[in-house]
Amino acid sequence: MNNSRFWQQSQHRAGPYSPEFRTGEQQRVLSVPATSVIGLQWGDEAKGKIVDILTESHQIVVRYQGGNNAGHTVRFDGRTYKLSLLPTGILQKHVTSVIAPGVVVNPLALLRELDGLAAGGQNCESRLMVSDRAHVICPWHLLEEAALEKSRGSAAIGTTMRGIGTCYREKVGRTHAIRIGDLIRRDVFAAKVREIVPFKQRILDVLDPEGPRMDIDQIITEYSDAADRIRPLAADTTSWLLDALDANKWILFEGAQGSLLDVDHGTFPYVTSSNSSGCGIHSGSGVPERAIERMIGVAKAYTTRVGGGPFPSELNNEIGNRIRIAGNEFGTVTGRPRRCGWFDAVATRYSARISGVDSITIALLDVLSGFEEVSICEAYDIDGRITKTLPTSCEDLAAAKPVLRTLPGWQEDITGITEFFALPTNAQQYCRTIEQIMGRPIEFVSVGPDRVQTIRLKR
Ligand code: GDP
Ligand code: IMO
Ligand code: MG
């Protein structure tokens, strides 16, 4: 028995707006574009800020991959909100926020985040749906990840230690996976935990003989208590979203991580374990790709990376430090200092192409104010071979030296500017150069963390 309050709504019924009822003309008139926001670098591009701005004009916001490894900061009305697993739409009362099947959900982290928002006066639980197909992060995922990362020494991926990769591995492996639909059925969940924990404990004992021991009853109690709160939020979000699309609701898809962390298309193995490029929208949400008519790619005016892996335009020098301080480049989730470098047009253009973005956002442009010169990495030199294509091997990417195009900088504070033509000429030229290399028009330029510090270009 599914007693979710969304269950009734999520049963598909062909209505007047369903495709089977439409004439060709109606289909054209009634089709409402869904929009997506995708990170084009290694994460933290200010996706959260752009999603927050677009949320005003949408009714549904969907997270479709990743988990509480994400960290999105939004600022408006003098307040700062930090979101991790919850879709950014959760802050808006008119929005239903959806955690779709492709997300991995740590139930305890989900409730902590909801409680944190409630403590700040934002009661959002009634506006949230969680897919019963989404997979559940359990204690053994965290313990196994910690042991694996430790064993890799200097070759560690530098994960967020949230059990993301180990949970996705169980999902794809299909043997010891638990979904939200299992979690909310007490007996099913308890039986699975009793089967999985002894097996996992044997592996953990080998990986880390000094490591902690799991307590089966404690896990069942703690997770079942969380399940009691999650049960009313659980639903078949896939059918619900398809119905919403038929009903011409405005849907916004919110990417987590960045395209270069995509497990299939990113800088493997220094990636996350989901399809964080635009390629993940269809598989992660169940909404067909052709329903998405507008893809916005977000990139910083420079590049950052947190964790291990090659980074050709990295600045291990005073300039990198200056960018880190000016941009407050410290991880939202782990607090780690982010590695900083010049804008990598090779990697970012690759991301824009695989996700098929229609337009780009250049964020944190204000951070580059005050430099005499600013540079863009427009090609790689790999052992004397010049290329504008992102290499597939990590070894080649590690060997790549940036070929830089250097432009004059600007000294003015731009954080109060609201029109593109009012930016210093050199800042305009910098943006136009990126636009030209990327081959996509700029839609937004962000000049500060607040919602109002955003320039929207007329298209
Ligand atoms: P996300 O993971 O892509 O949502 O990005 P994060 O929120 O992790 O990181 C972006 C950081 O930059 C956050 O602290 C934002 O508040 C901040 N931010 C966003 N846009 C701007 C901007 O235009 N200028 C400055 N200085 N900070 C910004
Ligand atoms: P948002 O949504 C930046 C990085 C980690 C690590 C790698 C794998 O805020 O852009 P994982 O824990 O996912 O297995 O770690 O991916 N990473 C991120 N880096 N922003 C993120 O999210 C990230 N999520 C994961 O640092 O290098
Ligand atoms: Mg982030």
Side-chain angles (χ1 to χ4, degrees), residues 6-78:
F6 292 104
W7 184 249
Q8 287 283 312
Q9 289 159 275
S10 68
Q11 302 304 293
H12 177 77
R13 289 178 304 276
Y17 296 108
S18 305
E20 53 267 53
F21 278 77
R22 292 180 196 167
T23 65
E25 179 59 15
Q26 275 174 325
Q27 281 198 14
R28 195 181 60 74
V29 173
L30 291 173
S31 104
V32 173
T35 299
S36 77
V37 174
I38 301 290
L40 298 182
Q41 295 161 321
W42 280 286
D44 305 319
E45 299 92 345
K47 299 176 291 291
K49 171 174 169 169
I50 300 304
V51 169
D52 171 59
I53 289 169
L54 294 169
T55 294
E56 299 251 356
S57 57
H58 288 80
Q59 294 153 303
I60 299 166
V61 177
V62 185
R63 259 293 293 275
Y64 52 88
Q65 46 74 223
N68 62 324
N69 49 348
H72 304 161
T73 308
V74 291
R75 198 187 291 181
F76 57 87
D77 296 340

Side-chain angles (χ1 to χ4, degrees), residues 196-217:
I196 295 169
V197 169
F199 181 85
K200 286 290 172 192
Q201 189 66 64
R202 284 208 299 280
I203 294 173
L204 286 168
D205 288 346
V206 174
L207 288 175
D208 186 4
E210 319 277 86
R213 296 203 64 75
M214 288 183 282
D215 179 331
I216 293 181
D217 291 325

Side-chain angles (χ1 to χ4, degrees), residues 303-316:
T303 311
T304 61
R305 176 161 208 176
V306 56
F311 180 177
S313 68
E314 183 167 12
L315 292 161
N316 274 318

Side-chain angles (χ1 to χ4, degrees), residues 43-231:
D44 305 319
E45 299 92 345
K47 299 176 291 291
K49 171 174 169 169
I50 300 304
V51 169
D52 171 59
I53 289 169
L54 294 169
T55 294
E56 299 251 356
S57 57
H58 288 80
Q59 294 153 303
I60 299 166
V61 177
V62 185
R63 259 293 293 275
Y64 52 88
Q65 46 74 223
N68 62 324
N69 49 348
H72 304 161
T73 308
V74 291
R75 198 187 291 181
F76 57 87
D77 296 340
R79 291 185 70 175
T80 300
Y81 299 90
K82 290 186 186 298
L83 299 162
S84 185
L85 177 57
L86 293 171
T88 303
I90 203 83
L91 299 172
Q92 302 269 358
K93 290 199 172 53
H94 70 278
V95 167
T96 301
S97 290
V98 176
I99 293 179
V103 178
V104 284
V105 178
N106 180 328
L108 309 182
L110 175 69
L111 297 183
R112 268 199 303 273
E113 202 172 332
L114 282 167
D115 289 342
L117 287 175
Q122 293 262 3
N123 280 300
C124 326
E125 224 155 306
S126 60
R127 310 195 287 269
L128 178 67
M129 292 172 79
V130 182
S131 170
D132 53 9
R133 290 184 170 99
H135 282 249
V136 177
I137 297 177
C138 297
W140 51 89
H141 295 131
L142 300 154
L143 295 172
E144 202 177 337
E145 177 173 21
L148 286 170
E149 279 285 272
K150 197 167 136 195
S151 74
R152 286 174 60 98
S154 62
I157 294 170
T159 71
T160 58
M161 294 287 186
R162 298 295 188 271
I164 304 294
T166 37
C167 182
Y168 275 117
R169 199 185 58 198
E170 282 334 336
K171 163 176 158 170
V172 177
R174 297 155 303 162
T175 42
H176 287 140
I178 296 182
R179 303 200 297 176
I180 291 287
D182 303 320
L183 176 73
I184 59 175
R185 292 169 175 85
R186 272 182 174 264
D187 295 350
V188 174
F189 178 71
K192 280 186 177 273
V193 172
R194 288 190 194 288
E195 180 206 332
I196 295 169
V197 169
F199 181 85
K200 286 290 172 192
Q201 189 66 64
R202 284 208 299 280
I203 294 173
L204 286 168
D205 288 346
V206 174
L207 288 175
D208 186 4
E210 319 277 86
R213 296 203 64 75
M214 288 183 282
D215 179 331
I216 293 181
D217 291 325
Q218 191 196 334
I219 294 172
I220 292 175
T221 307
E222 200 175 19
Y223 271 59
S224 298
D225 287 350
D228 289 342
R229 264 180 76 188
I230 291 172
R231 196 169 292 108

